[in-house]
Structure formats: structure tokens, C-alpha cells
Amino acid sequence: MIRIFGYSLEKKPTTSPIMEFVAVLIALLIAFGVSALLIASAGANVAEAFRSLLRGSFGSRSAIAETIIQGTPLILTGLAVTVAFRGQLWNIGAEGQFFAGAMASYLVATSLPELSRVPMVLTIFLAALIAGGVLGAIPAILKVRFGASEVIVTVMLNFVVLFFLSYLLSGPWQDPMSAFLQTSRITETARVSRIITGTRIHIGIIIALISVVVVWFLLFKTTLGYEIRAYGINPIASKYKGIPPLRTIVLTLAISGAIAALAGAGEVVGLHGRLRLDISTGFGFTGIIVALLGRLHPFLVVAAALFMGALWNGSLAMQITTGVPIALAYVIRGVVLVALLAAETLTHYRIRRVCDE
Amino acid sequence: MNNFFQTTIIVGLFASTIRIATPFLFASIGELVTERSGVLNLGIEGILQIGALVGFLITFRTGSHWLGVFGAGFSGIVLGIFMGWMVTTLKLNQTVSGLALNLLAGGIAFYWFRVVFADVGAENLPNLRIFQTARFPILSDIPYIGTIFFRQQWLTYLAFLSVPVVSYFLYRTRVGLQLRCTGENPRAVDMKGLSVAKHQYGALAFGGFMAGVGGSFLTLASSGMFIPEIQAGRGWIAIALVIFGNWIPWRILVVALFFGLIEAVQLTLQALNANVPHQLLLALPYLLTIIALCTAAGRSRSPLHLGLPYKRE
Amino acid sequence: MTGLPDHARPILQPILQVENLTKRFPSVLALDNVSMDVKRGEIHCLLGENGAGKSTLSETIYGTYLPDSGKIFFRGAPVEIMSPKDAIAAGISIVHQHFVLVPPLTVLENVILGTQKSGLYMDLKYARERLNELSRNYGVALNLDARVWHLSVGEQQWVEIFKALYIGVDLLILDEPTAVLTPQQSERLFSVIKQMRDEGLAIIFITHKLKEVKAVSDRVTVLRKGKKIATVNTKDVSKQELANMMVGRDVVFTIERQDMPPGEVVFEANNLRALNFHGEEGLRGVSFDVREKEVLGLAGVSGNGQKLLFDVIVGQEKPTEGSLKLAGRDITNTTTSKRMKLGLSSIPEDRIKEGLVMDFMVEENLILGFQRREPFAKGKTLVNQKAIRKFSKKSIEDFDIATPSSKQISKKLSGGNLQKLILAREFSQETKFLIAGQPTRGLDVGSTEYVRRRILEQKRKGAGVLLISEDLDEILNLSDRIAVIFKGELMDIIDVNEADIEQLGLLMAGIQKGEEV
């Protein structure tokens, strides 16, 4: 407790939704200020940089479309992290799970070329779900069985998946016509891109929005969701009341992994049509910020994902017009998260007058 | 001839084991002290990267390697204290804070690097002359032994020296006792009129310093250049090593050497053009970390209050 | 060092004076304008029921909390105690009710923590000498190199007291020090603190037990709901008067236990063995049975295997040997939820950590563990909000849970209401066997009475009850038979009508009937 001139700062037992909103606002303002400083320190004109950032993210129909495209995988990775964090399971492996989904899509598209479009696409997303689910279940099982920290295991699995992918891309799956680390294009029947004419908006956004509703329903309307949330807040009491840890942890992380994998499949099927190492701009990690910025609530995750998508596209535009490196987007990403966490605690306090000393 | 070839390989293997273990040792001995104070700093990965960059930039500008090392250590202290602000002052969730620190530090390193080397293409990235290795009269010239033990980097000797020093500090000194108590039961420390926050800030600053220096080893004593993500998961592995080493300094030394050996073997196999795709070899340390975690968790004991914020009520 | 007779002790000036101390917590006014003083060479009891403000007062004197207003004088001069550091510097020390020891460290390390202000090395030699001197003086033997978690709770208490004495104090505060002791160990403690008093120490002794007030204190200050009721000379008041001051009404409550013929055996434990947290055998062949319409009280000093037994019975720990039977079925290898379905209800010792999800709404907590059962779930997978709401409204009414709505976040409820919430949940199913761990610990008189009544009601309805408690009065008031546990073994099981406190105390210390003390 801090006390100055007869006033004390003390913790409130709970916080109101309005204050939570204020916290997000404060966080964004801080991020705004820090990025202005960084832009200036890079020798660019701050006002111009922000103008191009805004133009690049929302300035035109195509900019908005690109923001949605960039936000699409972030909705899914954000949801994946949301499910896991709700259960106090720190899934840092969404990046690897994203690629697991992408690899599963490519595998299905190339090994079952005779399928027609609808079964093909359904099989692809099903395969992605399974791949992500399995990859998510591994740290869960290791946690329950051996007590291995899921944080470290999921991070390690990211590396393993990426090395495995780069092995595939440099050998067995490499496009024979190309010198790059990439596969050849997948068959046309496995692609659902440009669902809105004049834009590159693709099937991913539909998958993402369906997933939002599904995750909301899962968390708040099903007994499993109840158990995930109970376990997340107090695993000990949950165990004492018969909620089985193994089932809960495995399902939570498998669901989380499966959702992240959908993002990977969406990018392959809807956007790139092939597998490369750079089809993710760190979606898995940005998903952590999306989830926290979205207060671990599925609907708010959508807004947070679009915001982060806009940030990326805006930064891209800014790089072109002002020369400020796009890496700025990564800094802002980090600043938003830290500022959000800090602002959040501050809204937990109130100032109260106490008697004279 | 063949025999000579084999001996050279084996001597090289052990020499590189010690070299590779160095950044692990810096990071994990630092993390050990931090965790003994009850704080789980998951931001080590980010601090390594910042340390690598800061060390590189300072040395690049000034030409002084040691200035680079100290700058890297100082940047680590700053980040450690920043972590302290989040987890000790604001009492934020330590896992989330650590992740935030990683993302922030990674972003800063990437951005800074791009701003400084804006006009440089990937193939023209600057390269530094790395630290001169140590030379000892007579010792360095002993066949085999000299190559393995007495022609290492000065930083490597520092890293190994930190093991007995930290061990002595934790178990024999007054402040070491207070630090251990902070990690086991901070209330006991608080009720004795000692500051929990001061101990945790101090431990985080030390852990940050060690990780910063460890990061600078990567650029100044190993590769001579900086590329984003140069630390490649070493921070995370360092955290796993602390668990694997059961929070005991000399055991951490053993497991760090073990990891160094595995990486050295992998490098040797790569150099020998073994018939294994090198990406799969590269994945080995990460898989091994997972296995190590699984075997360690059951038989190791973490500080009782590790990862939990301390509040007085 | 023998004590001087009462009349021979000099009249002493107060060493500590507290004036108009007020302390408010977010939800409660814990201290309301409290004034008191403590003299050198006196044992001053702070008497009050749970929640009266005794601990808050002592923690404020020690600097753990800052008062909102009021003054503290020490040795006649005003002092600003901003933190424990200031209190220690002034010569005040405290033995907390919940020990603040560092279990993995040795006794010596625990004692010297924070006592040395400068220097790199620890001066262990000096510490050893000083501690051995203290041991000799008070006739208490402690192995300085033992790790604290190896010690019994009674021994740990001595470590706490030595921690306080080691730094040299003028005022020692003991917060409910007998809560974890057998009656005989309490006697021993009393004689030691009387010796300290005679050596000139001022002692504040916090308790809610009237007979302890009478047994040790020179003066007593009674607190009720944060207010000071009175300070009186102990020999001038009767227990009844003290009780009235403490509770604020005339009768001190005792529960009417009803003798009724027990029914079939509903729960059986056979030769249970299990390993504790440290990998040592914490249960060493425990066997007992509980019948319908019967309360079996489990008495014992805390840390003798009660918690492990609770965990084994509810299915959170696996026994290494032995078997469990519930309602005629072997449940040794079944899951917790299966046991619950067979009619096991449980009230965990630590309700906040083990019984509730504090960030959940009241209605969500009311179905914890029952979330997959009808009517709370539709076909096991979907939540039936309507049924939950209905049940929640009924429970809040039936169990008199003070909450503005069923959507209230649980952590805003008081301790008594949280316990009622747990009772409402556990008794929502037909309870065949109830295991209750310290069900009234930390509750005020009203809630305590309520909880006990509800437990006896389950007995009347036909449940068998295993009541684990460290409060011997509670055990004697509620149980039909009493089992005593010591170091993971049952010393004896006796009928309540044949039990007396003296004998139970000996059993709790591991001494069989007829054995030499």
C-alpha cells in the first residue's frame, strides 16, 4: 500500500468492465507514444509515418480487405491461445501448430488429388484439425504424465516443427522448378480464394468466424467449457471436485492446437496455395497478444486480431513511404502487451482518503 | 593417419563442447539465482538477443570487445529490472510477463538492427573479428588437454567461474540465505523486516546481467555477426537446464556441458557430412530439451514459491 | 529463575501503549478506535472470537499493516512502525498463528535469517552458542541442523519462539500459539512463557479459549467486531463474564448431540498406508469404519496425517497399501468423481484453495463437481443454465448465504458464507458419507454454530460422518466415537462417553493408556 498526504492507493476487490476498457485504451495510447518516439529516432517524419500507417490499414477498400486478410489467421491463433489461457495452460506453440495445419493441408492436397473441391477442402481442414490437435496434445500429455512445463515444451516443439518443415522444403517437398524453399502450387480443387470479388479475402475468414462462435459456445455453454474455466482458475479445487486433470488438460491443449492449425490450413488453401517458411509473420506469437488484448473473450478477440492485422499492414505501408522498418510492428506488438498488463493492474486500484497521520 | 584424424575430431569435439556450453551456462546460472528468489523469468530468450545485439553494436562502433560485453550485461540488467517492475511491483502474472518481455525484446532487437543497418543487404552484413582466445604459458601447449581446456575464450572461463561463486554465494553468505528464503517463503523474509522486492529485483538484475553477457558471447566470441533470432531458443533451453539441474549450481554445470556435447556432436556430424539431413540434426537439442524436462520433473524440487507473486495479506 | 510471587513483582510502567487505533480493510472495519496497554512483566491476553480483530491488532503493532489512524507508544515514546523492520528494531517480535518458517531449510538457518545486518558470511558459531544458551534456559531441546519440515508442529512452534527470542525482545506477541498443541504441550508452553514474564518480558497472548486466559494471563483485553470491550485483571473476572464480553450475549453455545442407534457400516478403511509430499510414509496402517447415523471424530495435532487421510479418502492420493470401502463397494482404485457419485461428500480443510473457484460466480461454484449431472447438464455436454439458476436461488435461501445475487463473484463473500456455499453444494446430493476437514476453522461463532448444526443434520438424515478437527471441544461436542491420530497411526478409538480431555491429550502426544509419561 502506498500512502501520500493522507491518501492511500489500495486494491479494489474487483474491477468493472468500463475500467477494463479504459485499460485497453491506455495501453493503446502508450503504444502510440512509444512508436512515435521510435519513428522519430529512426529519423522519419512522425506525422507522415502515422498517416501512411492509417492509410495502409484502413485507407481504402483494398487496404481494409488486406487488414481483414492479415487479421484472419490472427483471429484463429488468438482463439487458440484464448482457449488454452482460459485453462491456465500456456500454449506458446501456436506458431508450430499453425505450420502443422499448413503441412497437413499440403499433404492432403498432394496425396488425394482426385478429390473434387468440396470433399477436398473438408478433408484438408479436417486433417489440419487432427494435426494441430495431436501436436497440442503432446505437451498436455507430457505435462500430466511427467510434470513437464507446457511453456517450454510448446516453444521447443515450435523449433522442431520449423526445422522439420525446412527439411521438407529443402528436399522431399521442394518445388523442383524453384530454387526457393517452397513447394509447388497445390491443385486448383484444393483452393478457395478470393471469395469477395476484387479482394484477396478468402475462405479463412469464414472458418475464423465460425470458430469464434464455436469457441464462445464451448467455453460458456458446455460442461467441458465449464471444466476448462474451473481448472484454469483453480486446478486444485477442480481436482478435489472430481474434474479429471488428464482429460481436461489434453482436451484444452488439443482444441487449442487444432484451432491454430486451422489458421495454417486457411493460409495455404485461401491465400498462398503453397507452403513456404514465410507464410506466417509470427501469427502464433501475435496470437498471444490478440488473446490478451481481447480479454480472453472470443468476440473481443476478433477486434483485437483485426487491430493487429491493421498494424501490420499499416507498418508495411509505412515502410514503403517513410522507410521506417516494418520491424516496428513487432516492437509495437510488444509494447501493447506490456502496456496492457501494466494498465490493467492500475485499474485495479482506487485512491481513498485516510485520516491524518 | 586415420588415428590422428580421429583424435583431432575428438579433441575438437570436447573443445567445442565447452565453448557451446558457455552461453547456456551464463543464462542458466543467472536464471538459477533469479528463480531462487522466487521469480520465474521467462524473458531470458529476449535478453539473450538484446545482449547479442548490444554487444555487437558497441564493439562494432568502438572496437572494444570488453566494452561490448559490459554494454550487453548492462542492457540485461535494465531488462531484468523491467521484469522486476512487472512481477514485483505490479505483481503481474510471471508467465505472461516473461512472454511479454520476450516479445518486446525480440521486437526491439529486430527493429534496432534494421534501423542501424537499413541500407545493408543480407549478404553484406558487417562481420566482427571475434575475441582472441586465451593463451596460457605451457598449459595451452599441452597436447589435447591444452586445446580442450586452455585455449578457450576468456568469457568461457568467466562462465565456469560463476558456478562456484554462485554456489558459495547461495549457501554460505548472509544475502544468499535471504535470497533462498525469498524463493521458498517470502513471508518469512518480509516478517523479518527484510524487503522481498529488493531481493527479487537484485536477483533479476543479476540474471539479466548474466543473460546479457551470454548473449554477447554469441556475437562477440562465437559468430562475429548479428542476425535476428541468433539466440535460437537458447534462453528457453537455459530455463529447462535449471529444472534439469534441480536448481543446484554444479548440477546445472553438468547438464549444460551435456547439452554442449550434444550440440558439438551434431556440428561434428554436420561437418563430416553424415548421411542425416542437417535440419533434423538441428532439431536435436530441442527434442532433447523436451526429454530432459520429462525426466527431470519427477525428481527435482523447485523453490516452493517459484512463480507466485508475494502479497502481504 | 523462579517466578516471584504476584505481590513481590514491582508495579511496572506500560512498555506498549496503543491509542485509538483504527484499521479498515476494503470490506470490513477490522479495528475500530482500539486502545490498550501492556506492561513489562505481564502476560496480557487478547481475547475475542474469530474476526474480532485480534490478529489485525497484533499485526498492526508489528507493522505488517499500517493503521489508518491512531498512535503507538513504545517505552513511553511515540513510534512510527511502518514495517516489521521498525518493530524488530524497537524490540517487538511475533509468533504468527500460521508459522512463517522456510521448511526446506535448517532450524539454524531459519533462526538467523535476517538477524545479521552486515557482513558477507553468516556467523554460525555465534548463533549456535546463543541458541544453545536459550535451549538450556528454557529446557527446550532443538536439533539446530534438522530441516524444518522434518519437525513436528510443536517443535516448529519452538523454532518460531526461538526466532523471536534470538534477536532479543522486550515485547513478544503470541498469536493463538496453542492451536496446534496437545493439552499437555500447552501446559509446557504456559510454564515457559510465565518464566519469560518473570524475566521481565511483556507478552501479548492471543486466544479465543477462555480457560487459557484464566491459566496464563495477568490482564485481559476483550475485542469484539473490531471494538475493544474492556481490559480487566484476569483474577477479577469469571469465565462466564469473559464469555459474555467476547460474544456479546448471555449464553455460550453448546450443540446438542443426539445419541441415536447407528446403522450399517457405510465407510471402511483397512490398513491404509500412503506416502506424503516428502515421500515418507504419512499413513501407517490406518483402519476404522464409520456407520450410518454416526459421527467419528478424528482428533490429533495437525500434521500427523489428517490431510493425507483426507486426500486418500476423496481420491486425490493413492494409498500404497490397504483398501477403502464406500457403501459396500471397494473404491480403493476409483476416481474422485466416481466416489462422489457413490455418495461421498467432502468439506476440504482449505476451502479457498481446495473447495472453491474464487473467480467463479456463486451459482457456478454451487455446481462444481456436479456439472455433468442432471439437471445441471443436458446430456452431459451442455450446461443447463435455467436449472442451475433455479438450484442456486434455492440454495442461497435454504442455506442462508448472504449474497446479493447468484451471479455474485465468490471472492466477495465472507468466510462463513463461503463455507455455507460448500455445504449447500455438498449436501445437494444424497450424502452417504461425509468427510469434513476442519469445517469451522476461522469462522465466527454464528457460522460455526450453523455449520455444526448442518453436519449433525446430515447424521440425522442417515449419513456417516468423519470429522477431522484440531479443536478438541468440537470433537467432543459432535462425535459419537473419537479416533486419535499420531504420526500416521490411529492410537485408539474411544466412545465419546468414556473420553476425557486428559486422556485424549496423551493419545494425541502418542502416549498409550498406562504408558509412562
Side-chain angles (χ1 to χ4, degrees), chain A residues 223 226-227 239-241, chain C residues 311 316 364 372 380 426:
Chain A
T223 49
Y226 173 95
E227 289 170 354
K239 277 191 268 183
Y240 271 88
K241 293 321 295 173
Chain C
D311 288 351
Q316 289 300 309
E364 286 176 309
R372 283 182 188 243
K380 283 196 177 181
E426 296 304 316

Side-chain angles (χ1 to χ4, degrees), chain C residues 265-286:
Chain C
V265 169
V266 66
F267 180 84
E268 252 182 278
N270 285 313
N271 190 29
L272 283 181
R273 289 173 182 276
L275 301 181
N276 63 18
F277 176 73
H278 300 294
E280 293 166 344
E281 194 155 67
L283 289 181
R284 301 188 296 171
V286 170

Side-chain angles (χ1 to χ4, degrees), chain B residues 28 43 55 74 86 103 147 185 201 239 285 288:
Chain B
S28 50
F74 181 75
M86 289 195 283
L103 289 167
T147 317
N185 185 359
Y201 267 106
I239 294 167
L288 193 70

Side-chain angles (χ1 to χ4, degrees), chain A residues 3 13-14 217 221-223 226-227 229-230 233-234 236-237 239-243 247 350 352 355, chain C residues 67 307 311 316 336-337 340 346 352-354 356-357 360 364 368-369 371-372 380-381 383 412 426:
Chain A
R3 190 196 293 213
T14 53
F217 190 82
K221 298 290 165 195
T222 68
T223 49
Y226 173 95
E227 289 170 354
R229 288 184 295 123
I233 304 169
N234 189 346
I236 298 172
K239 277 191 268 183
Y240 271 88
K241 293 321 295 173
I243 296 175
R247 181 181 76 194
R350 66 174 165 211
R352 188 169 69 84
C355 298
Chain C
K307 175 83 177 79
D311 288 351
Q316 289 300 309
T336 298
S337 72
M340 288 164 63
S346 62
I352 288 168
K353 226 165 99 189
E354 292 160 357
L356 294 162
V357 180
F360 262 11
E364 286 176 309
L368 186 64
Q371 69 279 356
R372 283 182 188 243
K380 283 196 177 181
T381 52
V383 170
K412 286 194 171 180
E426 296 304 316

Side-chain angles (χ1 to χ4, degrees), chain A residues 34-45 49 315 318-319 322-332, chain B residues 53 56-57 60-61 106-121 125-126 226 228:
Chain A
V34 172
S35 23
L37 281 175
L38 286 170
I39 292 166
S41 74
N45 181 324
S315 304
M318 187 169 64
Q319 181 174 22
T322 66
V324 178
I326 188 157
L328 181 68
Y330 289 112
V331 183
I332 299 179
Chain B
L53 177 64
F56 177 79
L57 287 179
F60 185 66
R61 292 269 189 268
I108 291 172
F110 194 23
Y111 178 75
W112 196 352
F113 173 71
R114 278 290 137 80
V115 169
V116 174
F117 300 109
D119 313 318
V120 186
L125 282 176
F226 178 85

Side-chain angles (χ1 to χ4, degrees), chain A:
Chain A
M1 200 177 69
I2 306 154
R3 190 196 293 213
I4 306 160
F5 301 128
Y7 288 90
S8 77
L9 191 64
E10 46 185 56
K11 210 163 160 73
K12 289 187 289 189
T14 53
T15 175
S16 68
I18 298 165
M19 288 311 280
E20 288 193 22
F21 179 71
V22 171
V24 173
L25 222 59
I26 294 173
L28 295 181
L29 273 175
I30 294 174
F32 187 77
V34 172
S35 23
L37 281 175
L38 286 170
I39 292 166
S41 74
N45 181 324
V46 176
E48 195 195 327
F50 276 124
R51 224 171 316 164
S52 60
L53 193 138
L54 205 61
R55 212 178 309 123
S57 48
F58 295 112
S60 62
R61 183 167 182 270
S62 72
I64 293 172
E66 284 302 311
T67 290
I68 293 171
I69 291 163
Q70 188 69 27
T72 301
L74 289 176
I75 295 175
L76 287 162
T77 53
L79 285 176
V81 174
T82 296
V83 170
F85 280 20
R86 277 277 182 177
Q88 283 282 329
L89 295 165
W90 309 106
N91 179 12
I92 319 300
E95 190 75 9
Q97 291 144 8
F98 172 95
F99 279 110
M103 288 195 279
S105 322
Y106 179 78
L107 189 65
V108 169
T110 47
S111 47
L112 303 168
E114 67 283 357
L115 287 180
S116 58
R117 185 173 304 250
V118 175
M120 170 67 103
V121 172
L122 286 178
T123 318
I124 283 178
F125 281 106
L126 188 67
L129 281 174
I130 293 169
V134 170
L135 194 58
I138 292 171
I141 292 165
L142 298 185
K143 183 183 176 72
V144 180
R145 180 72 187 77
F146 302 107
S149 150
E150 79 279 14
V151 180
I152 301 174
V153 173
T154 51
V155 171
M156 293 297 116
L157 284 175
N158 283 341
F159 284 104
V160 173
V161 169
L162 279 173
F163 280 120
F164 183 60
L165 177 62
S166 75
Y167 156 70
L168 291 176
L169 292 182
S170 62
W173 284 8
Q174 190 174 23
D175 180 1
M177 313 302 286
S178 163
F180 296 111
L181 290 184
Q182 61 178 24
T183 65
S184 47
R185 289 196 165 274
I186 56 173
T187 162
E188 197 45 42
T189 49
R191 304 219 48 204
V192 190
S193 52
R194 298 174 193 273
I195 55 171
I196 297 175
T197 41
T199 73
R200 297 199 301 153
I201 291 176
H202 54 88
I203 187 170
I205 190 69
I206 298 172
I207 302 285
L209 293 178
I210 293 172
S211 303
V212 169
V213 179
V214 169
V215 167
W216 170 79
F217 190 82
L218 168 79
L219 283 178
F220 299 106
K221 298 290 165 195
T222 68
T223 49
L224 176 64
Y226 173 95
E227 289 170 354
I228 291 174
R229 288 184 295 123
Y231 196 87
I233 304 169
N234 189 346
I236 298 172
S238 301
K239 277 191 268 183
Y240 271 88
K241 293 321 295 173
I243 296 175
L246 181 69
R247 181 181 76 194
T248 314
I249 292 177
V250 169
L251 282 178
T252 307
L253 284 177
I255 291 170
S256 172
I259 300 169
L262 284 181
E267 295 297 284
V268 170
V269 170
L271 199 60
H272 302 288
R274 58 156 56 113
L275 208 48
R276 278 202 314 266
L277 279 169
D278 63 357
I279 62 170
S280 166
T281 58
F283 293 134
F285 302 113
T286 312
I288 297 169
I289 296 160
V290 168
L292 293 170
L293 197 59
R295 326 293 313 182
L296 299 186
H297 195 288
F299 297 144
L300 297 179
V301 159
V302 179
L306 292 177
F307 171 78
M308 296 309 290
L311 175 66
W312 181 266
N313 282 330
S315 304
L316 212 56
M318 187 169 64
Q319 181 174 22
I320 294 161
T321 50
T322 66
V324 178
I326 188 157
L328 181 68
Y330 289 112
V331 183
I332 299 179
R333 192 175 77 166
V335 174
V336 168
L337 180 52
V338 171
L340 178 76
L341 295 172
E344 203 179 305
T345 51
L346 295 179
T347 60
H348 276 94
Y349 287 85
R350 66 174 165 211
I351 295 170
R352 188 169 69 84
R353 188 165 166 84
V354 292
C355 298
D356 299 312
E357 308 274 315

